[in-house]
Amino acid sequence: MKLAPGKHVRDWRNWIAPAAIAGTLVVALFLAVLVVIVLEAMGDKANEIDDSRAMSAAHTALNGFRRRLSGTLEDNAVWHEAFEAVNSRDRKDWMWTNWGAISADYQLYDGVAVTDPEGRQIGGYLKGVEFDVVAALGEQFLKQALAAAKPDRPPIVNVFKLNKSIAVVGSRALQPDRNMSPGGRYNVVTMFKLLTPSMIDNVASDYFLPGLHLAFDKPEGQLALALSDIDGQALAYLAWPGRNLGTRLYDEVRPALTGALVALGVLLATAVFAGYAELQALRRLASAADREATRDPLSGLLNRNGMIRALQAHLASTRASDGLTLHLIDLDGFKAVNDTWGHLVGDELIGAVAARLVDCHPGLEFAARFGGDEFALASRPGNDPAEIAEAALRALKEPFVVAGHTSEIGASIGYASHLAGMDAFELIRRADMALYGAKEAGRGQSVAYTGDMDRDREAVAELEELLRRALDDDELSVAFQPVVSSDNAAVAGVEALARWTTQQGPVSPDVFIPLAEKSGLIFRLGEFVLERSIRFAEARPGMDIAVNVSPTQLCAHDFAEGIMAILERENFDPRRLILEVTEGVLFDSPLQARRAMDALRAIGIRFALDDFGTGYASIGTLSHFTFDRLKLDRSLVLALDNERGRAVLGATVSLADALAIPVIVEGVETAEQAGYLRQIGCQFMQGYHFGKPMSPADFDSLPGRMARAG
Ligand code: C2E
Ligand code: MG
Ligand code: MG
């Protein structure tokens, strides 16, 4: 048998923590990726800024170069002496001395050429050697020289390929002074400056362009500034490798960054792992707590909570037509075991009962311990509920041997089946109603719920309310029935009997006494009867007064104190009071009963064992508890019409005799019965033959009173 569904209800709350962990991871990952992207972007930007700085440095260098050559050219072309000399006869000598020889090793230029206004060479020197500038530089040079022949043109500077090198070449009209008229054409001075490797090295260090060099093809992956000719065609490039400052910076911080990210990862992994472990631990704790909250440790079965949950889970998961049946089981006589043998034995008995119940029928879905000595069984649909109830009763009927003690206990069972639309609580309520019915019907019964039970319950509730009001409004009364002495038929005492008459008529004590017991009204009722009885007895001295006491009253912890307080208040002699108790309470709560009885006996109150002969009071009970009267039940008198009945009554009277307990026979209705009972030695009699329960006024006009008086 499956004892419990044990399923965890998986709901959204279980996903909060994992979602939080996953969310943290995603955010952390996002931040890590963001940091890498930002750093890379910063590196790229830094590269870009540095590259553009380098490029503008290269431009500045080239422009400075041109400007310097332009300046030198201006000084040499606008020169009166040179103008005169070139137009003179010994111009060759002059040109050689002033320009050619110097060009061999001069910082400002590497070569000088003079051409006439049509571009024909007059003289040319490169590095101190004569050379043909037109042949070396070709058509493009002619273009520049012709354009420069006008005196008002500022120096024209372009880049040319010269031999295997690159030269910056500037041209300017040769003129005596600056105030030349714009018209006319002049000879042209052209100056060359070669871009030699050493010069480029200087530029590299001056402008902080490491690796700067001259390249004729555009180098891949390097920064390059095109050196274009007069027509805009790239002749060569000033190239240098980019410093990639950002990349280097990024490369430099990368190990630290990687380390930080790894550390972050480790930290997160640790946090996630710790969180996960914590979560698991919490879940384990929660499920342990859940088990604890739903399990009864003594029996190992579900407890009340667990059963309600299990029922709810089943009812939610099965179709209405599949409804299960709930059996509520109340043990009989468990309290006596507990009181007699102690709680340890009681606990063990609970375990043994649980074990039997669990195995009593194969159709069970789960079992639970519902309360102290209440159990519950849920059976699957398709099983006969009555059969399951019988099986459970049978299982509990067998004596239990626990800790060396043999205990016989029985049970009452109520059951109800689930119907469409019914919730767990309604099912429990119905089974409970049926259990109530089973207990009413007597021990060892099983009862199925019927709709009448609810109607009865309602009627009972109404009646209970009526009784409460009757007590409030002092509508109850007490009748007194004489108890006569067998010897002379004199009234020896009375039994006080509660009476209640509603607008519908009298209500039997057999109805309202149990009602008062269940609703707790019995305490007020008992007090009321006792007070009325005392008042009755005080007015009639020399007469005992017997008052009935319910088990509920006797077991109340302050019962003895309550009685004593009333007697004291009313100043009534306790020796005139007899309390009638029934044997049931002696079995069910022997300790409480004894405590109360001992205390009250100590002040002189006497006790009568009521309804003797209807239950199973044994000689043992009689010797365990001291009784001053034994009240033989009316049923024993009714049986006097047969031999067997007479034998039973005779034996009972002999028993009381042997124990020296005076006997009162109840329900004596005829003179024959009275005569027979007197004959076999019953000391007292009570019954309609002597007088019905009556009002105090009726009592005073009794002929029996006279008999006593006489
Ligand atoms: P009980 O204590 O055994 O009371 C005797 C019952 O037998 C009374 O029923 C009485 O009216 C009835 N009776 C007496 N003589 C005869 C007779 O010759 N023939 C017949 N047929 N009946 C006779 P009643 O008054 O209906 O009380 C029923 C039970 O209710 C009592 O049984 C007692 O257990 C309980 N009860 C009555 N009053 C009180 C009370 O004030 N407190 C408590 N706790 N229980 C009470
Ligand atoms: Mg009685
Ligand atoms: Mg009785």
Side-chain angles (χ1 to χ4, degrees):
M1 185 188 105
K2 187 173 63 168
L3 285 179
K7 275 181 232 145
H8 268 294
V9 188
R10 290 215 153 261
D11 62 21
W12 58 271
R13 271 170 292 234
N14 294 346
W15 294 104
I16 292 179
I21 290 175
T24 311
L25 279 181
V26 167
V27 169
L29 199 69
F30 172 74
L31 287 178
V33 169
L34 199 69
V35 165
V36 170
I37 288 176
V38 164
L39 282 176
E40 272 184 356
M42 277 167 66
D44 289 349
K45 195 71 200 171
N47 285 345
E48 206 182 300
I49 291 169
D50 190 56
D51 286 352
S52 87
R53 180 220 51 98
M55 191 60 92
S56 74
H59 266 292
T60 310
L62 190 62
N63 286 340
F65 216 76
R66 285 169 182 262
R67 231 178 300 116
R68 262 197 311 281
L69 190 70
S70 293
T72 308
L73 188 58
E74 187 72 16
D75 290 345
N76 284 273
V78 185
W79 187 5
H80 193 269
E81 186 191 329
F83 179 78
E84 296 276 299
V86 168
N87 287 323
S88 70
R89 230 189 290 137
D90 45 328
R91 58 187 171 198
K92 274 239 174 232
D93 289 346
W94 193 92
M95 287 193 295
W96 169 250
T97 312
N98 285 287
W99 289 330
I102 291 171
S103 74
D105 181 22
Y106 191 47
Q107 214 191 337
L108 294 181
Y109 51 83
D110 293 309
V112 181
V114 181
T115 46
D116 68 12
E118 276 70 48
R120 288 180 298 260
Q121 178 160 321
I122 298 172
Y125 316 93
L126 184 67
K127 286 280 170 195
V129 179
E130 283 197 35
F131 96 117
D132 186 345
V133 64
V134 179
L137 301 183
E139 278 300 309
Q140 292 186 330
F141 172 71
L142 269 182
K143 217 194 258 181
Q144 176 170 319
L146 289 178
K150 294 177 184 156
D152 56 340
R153 280 292 302 261
I156 301 171
V157 181
N158 280 301
V159 175
F160 287 82
K161 198 165 181 182
L162 183 56
N163 299 334
K164 284 194 170 101
S165 185
I166 292 292
V168 180
V169 177
S171 303
R172 173 78 161 117
L174 179 62
Q175 47 202 300
D177 53 60
R178 233 171 274 283
N179 309 318
M180 299 306 296
S181 57
R185 298 180 63 83
Y186 287 73
N187 292 332
V188 170
V189 182
T190 297
M191 295 190 139
F192 313 83
K193 182 70 189 162
L194 288 169
L195 295 183
T196 58
S198 75
M199 236 194 66
I200 288 173
D201 284 350
N202 286 343
V203 171
S205 79
D206 288 352
Y207 289 87
F208 202 65
L209 293 168
L212 185 74
H213 62 282
L214 194 67
F216 289 98
D217 294 315
K218 194 173 183 193
E220 277 298 309
Q222 293 201 342
L223 294 169
L225 176 67
L227 301 174
S228 302
D229 64 13
I230 193 166
D231 297 324
Q233 292 291 319
L235 285 177
Y237 298 88
L238 275 177
W240 68 100
R243 284 194 303 167
N244 287 334
L245 264 191
T247 308
R248 271 157 52 198
L249 206 69
Y250 177 65
D251 286 349
E252 215 152 285
V253 299
R254 194 159 49 194
L257 180 69
T258 310
L261 288 180
V262 167
L264 181 71
V266 169
L267 190 78
L268 272 178
T270 314
V272 165
F273 180 76
Y276 181 75
E278 192 67 14
L279 198 69
Q280 289 301 96
L282 277 178
R283 282 205 173 139
R284 272 196 298 277
L285 268 181
S287 81
D290 192 59
R291 243 194 333 276
E292 221 161 85
T294 55
R295 283 270 161 206
D296 167 46
L298 208 56
S299 61
L301 304 181
L302 295 174
N303 62 15
R304 189 190 177 87
N305 252 343
M307 191 198 81
I308 291 171
R309 275 208 224 164
L311 269 183
Q312 282 169 335
H314 275 272
L315 297 188
S317 67
T318 50
R319 277 175 287 123
S321 56
D322 294 346
L324 37 70
T325 298
L326 181 69
H327 293 72
L328 288 187
I329 302 167
D330 187 74
L331 301 185
D332 297 326
F334 173 73
K335 207 166 149 32
V337 172
N338 236 356
D339 289 346
T340 316
W341 306 118
H343 286 281
L344 282 180
V345 176
D347 288 355
E348 224 173 289
L349 182 61
I350 288 291
V353 166
R356 283 199 197 169
L357 285 178
V358 160
D359 286 333
C360 78
H361 197 280
L364 297 183
E365 183 64 31
F366 59 83
R369 182 171 172 225
F370 209 55
D373 61 351
E374 272 190 38
F375 289 83
L377 297 176
S379 59
R380 284 190 284 274
N383 294 286
D384 179 8
E387 200 181 283
I388 290 175
E390 280 316 305
L393 284 178
R394 250 196 326 276
L396 299 181
K397 214 173 247 168
E398 292 292 311
F400 286 88
V401 181
V402 170
H405 305 289
T406 303
S407 336
E408 291 200 29
I409 54 167
S412 305
I413 300 183
Y415 56 90
S417 294
H418 178 256
L419 297 175
M422 190 186 292
D423 68 6
F425 293 102
E426 174 61 10
L427 183 60
I428 294 170
R429 191 192 69 81
R430 291 186 171 198
D432 198 38
M433 290 281 285
L435 176 60
Y436 179 83
K439 285 200 237 172
E440 293 278 276
R443 297 176 174 208
Q445 305 283 322
S446 70
V447 168
Y449 168 85
T450 62
D452 289 344
M453 291 178 174
D454 279 330
R455 288 186 280 283
D456 290 353
R457 174 62 68 94
E458 276 163 29
V460 165
E462 252 169 57
L463 198 63
E464 186 185 308
E465 188 47 39
L466 273 182
L467 177 61
R468 192 182 303 276
R469 259 185 267 145
L471 274 166
D472 289 344
D473 303 344
D474 225 4
E475 281 171 12
L476 294 180
S477 62
V478 179
F480 298 93
Q481 186 176 33
V483 176
V484 302
S485 162
S486 300
D487 300 339
N488 51 7
V491 177
V494 289
E495 177 177 5
L497 293 158
R499 290 291 175 262
W500 180 28
T501 306
T502 64
Q503 280 162 351
Q504 279 74 41
V507 184
S508 163
D510 292 332
V511 172
F512 74 80
I513 296 295
L515 189 66
E517 282 174 351
K518 255 166 258 151
S519 59
L521 292 172
I522 192 70
F523 300 103
R524 289 179 58 194
L525 188 142
E527 215 168 287
F528 166 79
V529 172
L530 182 60
E531 280 166 2
R532 288 290 173 93
S533 303
I534 290 172
R535 215 171 297 160
F536 176 90
E538 266 171 349
R540 295 157 187 88
M543 195 177 291
D544 289 341
I545 176 98
V547 174
N548 293 285
V549 171
S550 292
T552 326
Q553 289 174 275
L554 192 66
C555 293
H557 68 99
D558 57 351
F559 174 68
E561 288 79 10
I563 298 279
M564 289 184 207
I566 293 173
L567 294 186
E568 205 155 303
R569 192 175 67 217
E570 305 289 334
N571 195 21
F572 186 72
D573 181 1
R575 287 167 302 182
R576 295 180 63 193
L577 182 61
I578 297 174
L579 295 181
E580 298 191 2
V581 299
T582 47
E583 60 205 13
V585 66
L586 310 179
F587 281 106
D588 292 341
S589 315
L591 296 180
Q592 287 98 316
R594 172 178 295 282
R595 202 181 326 114
M597 286 171 71
D598 285 352
L600 293 170
R601 286 178 64 80
I603 61 163
I605 292 175
R606 285 167 295 165
F607 281 86
L609 182 57
D610 204 354
D611 301 343
F612 189 76
T614 52
Y616 26 70
S618 62
I619 304 171
T621 321
L622 288 178
S623 48
H624 262 104
F625 294 88
T626 316
F627 284 105
D628 309 281
R629 297 279 186 275
L630 205 57
K631 294 194 79 170
L632 304 196
D633 193 68
R634 195 169 82 88
S635 55
L636 296 182
V637 178
L638 286 172
L640 280 183
D641 57 0
N642 62 70
E643 192 65 37
R644 209 180 124 89
R646 282 195 291 277
V648 169
L649 190 86
T652 310
V653 172
S654 307
L655 170 70
D657 241 11
L659 293 167
I661 308 175
V663 161
I664 303 173
V665 185
E666 294 185 281
V668 181
E669 294 185 350
T670 64
E672 292 78 51
Q673 290 168 342
Y676 179 79
L677 292 166
R678 192 177 298 124
Q679 203 184 313
I680 63 166
C682 299
Q683 290 89 337
F684 300 99
M685 286 185 263
Q686 179 183 352
Y688 294 173
H689 175 62
F690 303 101
K692 290 193 169 185
M694 59 192 91
S695 67
D698 289 347
F699 183 83
D700 287 335
S701 53
L702 249 192
R705 288 267 287 164
M706 310 324 281
R708 181 186 169 274

